[in-house]
Amino acid sequence: MQNTSCAADFLLHEPSKLRTISNLIDGKFVETSENLVSVNPATGEEWLNLPRSKAAEMDKAVEAADRAFPAWSATSVQHRSRLLNKVADIVEANLEEFARLESKDQGKPIYLAKTIDIPRCVHNFRFFATAILHHTNPSVIQKEPVEAVNYVKSDPIGVAGLISPWNLPLYLLSFKLAPALACGNTVVCKPSEITSATAWVLMHAFVEAGFPAGVVNMVIGTGPEAGEPLVTDPRVPVISFTGSTVIGKKIASLAAPLNKKVSLEMGGKNACIVYPSVDLDEVIPTITRSCFINQGEICLCSSRLYVHREIFDEFCSKLVEKAKEMTVGDPEENKTLGALVSDVHFKKVASYIDLAKEENCEILCGGVPSIEGKCSNGYFVSPTVVTNVKATSRLLNEEIFGPVVCVVPFDTRDEAIAKANAVPYGLSASIWSKNVDEIHATASALRVGTVWCNCWLVRELNMPFGGTKDSGMGREGAADSIHFFTEQKTICVKIN
Ligand code: NAD
């Protein structure tokens, strides 16, 4: 493919043709002898052949990244910043095509990819391209016991292994690529095998921007076949993973004996606490969005809603009213919700709706809709609101990762906090109240990495992002990502 725009056109043009994408290893796009097939979740039709890479392909990619490391790590931050900004420009120039592809591959509506996923990918590159220019380290001049100047040097570490999930494919992959490269590491990335299309186009942007061969490599394949060889390769000292808690823990156990630096961003089961002081008409639109946007497939989506008993009935009826206004169907037609990512995931989400029925919960709205036309075989679930759920139910304790939420009443602040903290996850939470004391006291008591108060998904990339408990280990963000992707060395020089 000549450039990024040609690569995108190749995948978008003649949609009925099965296209084949490849790995990027040492500056060359290489196909594999075996392929996986990717399905368009909105139609159930096969649309893409992708590499079924194994240890041999991973070995070549790591070797190329390892070879490219000395020269790349010696470049100036200004040089790396310029190249990353070029990637941002290229993605921005092809935003429409990237958005259409992300939608086709993942199932999300095009409008969402156009307004959230791809702009955020552009922002990630620009943000770290500039953050690295402004990053400074501490220095201390001491007088005793000897006069000396101490300073910190942040060294790139080596080959970074970057493993990303399918829910926000380019958004999350670029949140790893940008800081890893800005800091002077070379990378081997393994995007989700369920959504690799935009990652393949992005690789063309790196080549087009002028990144030297071997600095950025991508190997596509399944977790066990391609991901594990990356995690266990001794030439890869740093692993950044975003995905499920089960796989994150597995990666931690594989990396620990090799003493690797590991960052884990894992699952969530996020509480939304609504106090009676709120103006429901004001907050319901954002709360509804926090439950169902991207089909509920955002690790930060609200899934357990704890609502003060005084306003419980009114809250439920207004939430249901808003949820029913959301349209579901063809992602190309810009419905509010598109398709869930795969048949497997659809069955998982639908099984929780069945569980709600088995447990005699009250399903206020939602379920599996019947969609007519070209999306009749797609994987769709309507915004689903469930009440009357037992505290011990799997519905309230397991990550569903779909548009299914439970609403539970509470009477006191302590009760709401205890309920919110009563799951193994600790990614994020939201609090809705007009009482400042209540907001601070509740936010302080919640055991999560991010608390949004009277807002949701407002991301300032300078702030640390990550999870507590089973939701993760480590933080990402300007200072945190730069810290993670470098090795700090203290240098002490005697003055006299
Ligand atoms: P997943 O854990 O199944 O897969 C994530 C990635 O890991 C994929 O690229 C996969 O191929 C790879 N992988 C799987 N097994 C592996 C192995 N043994 N060794 C190495 N790599 C392996 O997750 P998913 O289903 O793609 O994504 C959904 C999950 O991601 C949800 O749990 C969601 O909450 C979580 N998530 C978390 C965040 C966050 O920031 N905390 C963000 C997005 C998604």
Side-chain angles (χ1 to χ4, degrees):
M1 238 28 76
Q2 275 168 331
N3 58 27
T4 313
S5 154
C6 293
D9 278 355
F10 170 73
L11 296 187
L12 287 168
H13 194 58
E14 292 186 75
S16 56
K17 266 199 178 161
L18 197 63
R19 299 295 194 184
T20 300
I21 63 172
S22 46
N23 292 327
L24 175 64
I25 299 177
D26 206 9
K28 294 191 184 66
F29 286 94
V30 273
E31 291 184 9
T32 42
S33 51
E34 283 181 77
N35 282 310
L36 300 163
V37 178
S38 190
V39 167
N40 175 346
T43 62
E45 283 165 8
E46 296 184 346
W47 82 285
L48 200 61
N49 274 323
L50 33 126
R52 182 176 174 181
S53 309
K54 300 196 179 157
E57 284 81 15
M58 194 49 86
D59 178 61
K60 284 187 189 136
V62 173
E63 191 186 312
D66 197 32
R67 214 178 317 117
F69 178 69
W72 176 249
S73 58
T75 56
S76 68
V77 290
Q78 287 78 7
H79 177 70
R80 302 199 292 262
S81 168
R82 279 191 291 274
L83 287 184
L84 287 170
N85 270 323
K86 272 194 199 169
V87 173
D89 292 344
I90 295 168
V91 176
E92 197 168 44
N94 293 280
L95 192 144
E96 177 79 30
E97 291 75 14
F98 270 108
R100 282 170 61 204
L101 274 174
E102 201 73 301
S103 163
K104 185 167 182 180
D105 209 21
Q106 205 277 339
K108 67 183 71 208
I110 291 181
Y111 84 87
L112 207 61
K114 227 193 274 188
T115 52
I116 295 187
D117 295 70
I118 312 305
R120 173 60 191 276
C121 166
V122 173
H123 183 53
N124 286 340
F125 284 115
R126 294 224 170 99
F127 182 84
F128 284 103
T130 46
I132 198 68
L133 299 178
H134 303 289
H135 180 74
T136 56
N137 281 317
S139 67
V140 174
I141 297 172
Q142 68 181 89
K143 289 282 185 193
E144 292 182 16
V146 289
E147 200 171 357
V149 59
N150 297 269
Y151 65 95
V152 173
K153 185 166 178 281
S154 297
D155 290 325
I157 307 175
V159 180
L162 312 178
I163 302 176
S164 54
W166 50 253
N167 63 321
L168 300 166
L170 214 57
Y171 174 129
L172 290 171
L173 179 61
S174 55
F175 197 42
K176 299 184 185 303
L177 281 164
L181 292 164
C183 290
N185 302 285
T186 55
V187 304
V188 177
C189 59
K190 200 215 79 65
S192 169
E193 66 277 22
I194 301 170
T195 53
S196 304
T198 50
W200 179 75
V201 181
L202 179 68
M203 291 301 118
H204 291 77
F206 281 107
V207 174
E208 192 179 337
F211 273 76
V215 171
V216 182
N217 304 274
M218 178 183 69
V219 177
I220 297 171
T222 66
E225 289 182 341
E228 280 190 34
L230 178 62
V231 174
T232 53
D233 193 310
R235 295 166 295 179
V236 181
V238 51
I239 300 287
S240 175
F241 166 84
T242 300
S244 64
T245 296
V246 171
I247 300 299
K249 287 185 177 180
K250 169 138 208 208
I251 286 175
S253 73
L254 291 170
L258 296 156
N259 200 26
K260 296 193 181 206
K261 208 171 177 184
V262 176
S263 158
L264 304 172
E265 298 291 348
M266 311 196 282
K269 184 76 183 169
N270 310 303
C272 160
I273 300 177
V274 189
Y275 285 110
S277 60
V278 292
D279 174 340
L280 281 178
D281 290 326
E282 211 176 275
V283 303
I284 282 282
T286 310
I287 292 179
T288 314
R289 209 173 141 259
S290 81
C291 297
F292 302 122
I293 206 73
N294 205 50
Q295 304 73 244
E297 295 169 327
I298 300 183
C299 54
L300 302 162
C301 276
S302 306
S303 66
R304 298 176 292 141
L305 280 57
Y306 298 110
V307 179
H308 196 276
R309 201 176 299 277
E310 262 176 38
I311 54 165
F312 185 79
D313 290 342
E314 192 187 352
F315 177 92
C316 288
S317 75
K318 291 195 161 162
L319 178 71
V320 167
E321 192 184 307
K322 263 281 166 261
K324 284 184 174 169
E325 279 172 28
M326 292 181 145
T327 51
V328 182
D330 191 348
E332 290 187 354
E333 283 179 11
N334 285 334
K335 305 284 186 192
T336 326
L337 274 72
L340 294 185
V341 75
S342 67
D343 188 32
V344 171
H345 190 57
F346 166 78
K347 286 183 176 133
K348 177 188 154 185
V349 173
S351 78
Y352 283 97
I353 301 176
D354 293 340
L355 180 66
K357 290 176 193 156
E358 279 162 35
E359 293 186 350
N360 295 319
C361 304
E362 205 173 336
I363 301 176
L364 301 183
C365 65
V368 175
S370 100
I371 306 278
E372 307 279 307
K374 79 174 207 270
C375 293
S376 57
N377 293 323
Y379 315 129
F380 297 92
V381 173
S382 297
T384 303
V385 178
V386 185
T387 60
N388 200 16
V389 189
K390 286 203 187 80
T392 51
S393 169
R394 286 171 44 228
L395 283 151
L396 270 174
N397 292 282
E398 296 177 1
E399 185 183 42
I400 300 173
F401 215 48
V404 179
V405 299
C406 302
V407 196
V408 176
F410 71 86
D411 292 295
T412 66
R413 183 198 302 175
D414 286 349
E415 184 193 346
I417 292 168
K419 283 181 164 160
N421 282 338
V423 293
Y425 295 104
L427 189 55
S428 73
S430 65
I431 302 168
W432 304 82
S433 165
K434 285 197 169 160
N435 178 332
V436 175
D437 292 345
E438 193 166 61
I439 287 176
H440 286 296
T442 310
S444 170
L446 293 177
R447 289 198 58 207
V448 295
T450 299
V451 186
W452 279 295
C453 306
N454 296 324
C455 61
W456 178 74
L457 206 63
V458 179
R459 283 281 288 119
E460 160 56 66
L461 297 193
N462 283 296
M463 293 292 104
F465 173 82
T468 59
K469 303 196 284 183
D470 272 2
S471 288
M473 199 168 72
R475 293 291 180 270
E476 295 180 327
D480 293 278
S481 296
I482 292 174
H483 200 270
F484 177 72
F485 283 114
T486 55
E487 206 78 83
Q488 280 76 37
K489 188 195 303 174
T490 298
I491 299 175
C492 174
V493 183
K494 185 169 170 285
I495 295 178
N496 293 313

